[in-house]
Amino acid sequence: MHILIIEDECKTAAFLAKGLKEERFVIDVAGNGMDGQHNIDHIHYDLIILDVMLPGKDGWSILGDLRQTQKQTPVLLLTAKDAVADKVRGLELGADDYLVKPFAFSELLARIRTILRRGPIRQINIFKILDLEIDAIRHRVHRGGIRIDLTPKEFQLLLLMARRQGEVLSRTFIAEQVWEINFNSDTNVVDVAVRRLRRKVDDSFDNKLIHTVRGVGYVFEQR
Ligand code: CA
């Protein structure tokens, strides 16, 4: 498996490269956006670890251009702390996953394995499941032709579930992705938000889309 790391912080890049080589991945490192772009243009990678803030060409442009060229190479974004909006933007641009700095190497490795196992997520901006329609660009949701108003968090939650349709998502995973809450924090916030989301999206319809998986979390699917 050939992985490209585009990261301008030398220490971080070296640390990641060393760890991943020990896991038997083949690693290339690019220290700025232009070099990273050059590698992408000339070499096939199984995965790209992409820092958002880069000199030369930033991670957004690289990701945007990559998807523009129809390349489905999975991308794991490294975002700065407290940049919740980055996650939504990254999703819209077609990133496969995120890690907020600083992160543990074990967490990075777990995410990489998950992405490689799953294969790339197709970049879709309009989701249609039964009579539910989600427009990821305009942040609009309709069900049965009726507009549903969601808070930004509810929208992020719904989009996350829709993008991973059929995948059981743990409360911890949801909390991390939507609220950037750490592993050991109270994930009750997830249950509360899912309940609110269900009230808006599912309750007045016969066919439910959000399902509870006991002891694990939630799955979004048509049954
Ligand atoms: Ca950086």
Side-chain angles (χ1 to χ4, degrees):
M1 286 286 182
H2 201 176
I3 296 179
L4 172 64
I5 300 170
I6 310 179
E7 166 65 87
D8 60 313
E9 290 157 41
C10 297
K11 269 190 185 169
T12 308
F15 167 72
L16 295 182
K18 182 171 180 286
L20 290 172
K21 279 176 187 167
E22 282 168 9
E23 298 296 326
R24 313 187 71 86
F25 290 105
V26 179
I27 304 298
D28 286 345
V29 176
N32 64 64
M34 298 313 285
D35 288 352
Q37 186 62 57
H38 181 83
N39 281 49
I40 291 171
D41 290 342
H42 293 91
I43 300 171
H44 169 81
Y45 291 100
D46 298 293
L47 181 95
I48 299 167
I49 298 172
L50 179 61
D51 185 32
V52 170
M53 299 301 288
L54 289 168
K57 182 173 184 180
D58 70 16
W60 300 126
S61 313
I62 292 175
L63 178 59
D65 288 354
L66 183 76
R67 294 303 183 237
Q68 208 61 244
T69 59
Q70 306 298 319
K71 276 191 194 165
Q72 298 297 320
T73 315
V75 172
L76 175 62
L77 275 187
L78 304 182
T79 67
K81 212 170 191 295
D82 301 326
V84 180
D86 285 1
K87 295 190 167 187
V88 177
R89 192 173 170 195
L91 266 182
E92 288 172 2
L93 283 170
D96 293 75
D97 208 346
Y98 317 83
L99 271 178
V100 177
K101 290 177 175 180
F103 50 82
F105 181 76
S106 56
E107 181 63 20
L108 174 84
L109 195 58
R111 300 287 181 97
I112 288 174
R113 295 228 156 101
T114 303
I115 293 173
L116 292 176
R117 198 168 49 234
R118 183 182 63 210
I121 289 177
R122 280 192 306 132
Q123 191 197 359
I124 305 171
N125 292 320
I126 307 269
F127 292 88
K128 286 182 185 157
I129 308 104
L130 290 174
D131 52 351
L132 178 77
E133 190 175 312
I134 306 166
D135 184 332
I137 299 291
R138 290 182 189 79
H139 286 213
R140 283 189 191 151
V141 177
H142 288 84
R143 186 151 190 195
I146 296 161
R147 172 88 175 262
I148 297 170
D149 283 318
L150 299 179
T151 65
K153 286 292 176 200
E154 288 165 356
F155 181 80
Q156 252 182 283
L157 175 62
L158 181 64
L159 191 59
L160 175 72
M161 296 181 109
R163 284 197 190 268
R164 293 174 183 256
Q165 249 182 92
E167 214 179 301
V168 179
L169 306 178
S170 70
R171 288 177 176 80
T172 306
F173 177 77
I174 295 172
E176 282 174 358
Q177 293 288 314
V178 180
W179 287 271
E180 295 187 14
I181 294 173
N182 292 327
F183 188 78
N184 290 320
S185 306
D186 182 11
T187 51
N188 184 43
V189 62
V190 175
D191 295 321
V192 173
V194 169
R195 206 176 306 141
R196 274 204 316 263
L197 185 61
R198 273 177 158 161
R199 206 173 297 149
K200 294 182 178 180
V201 168
D202 262 351
D203 278 7
S204 44
F205 298 89
D206 288 338
N207 298 308
K208 310 300 181 197
L209 290 166
I210 301 167
H211 308 275
T212 305
V213 180
R214 241 188 202 199
V216 186
Y218 298 96
V219 62
F220 184 86
E221 67 186 4
Q222 180 178 340
R223 285 189 178 166

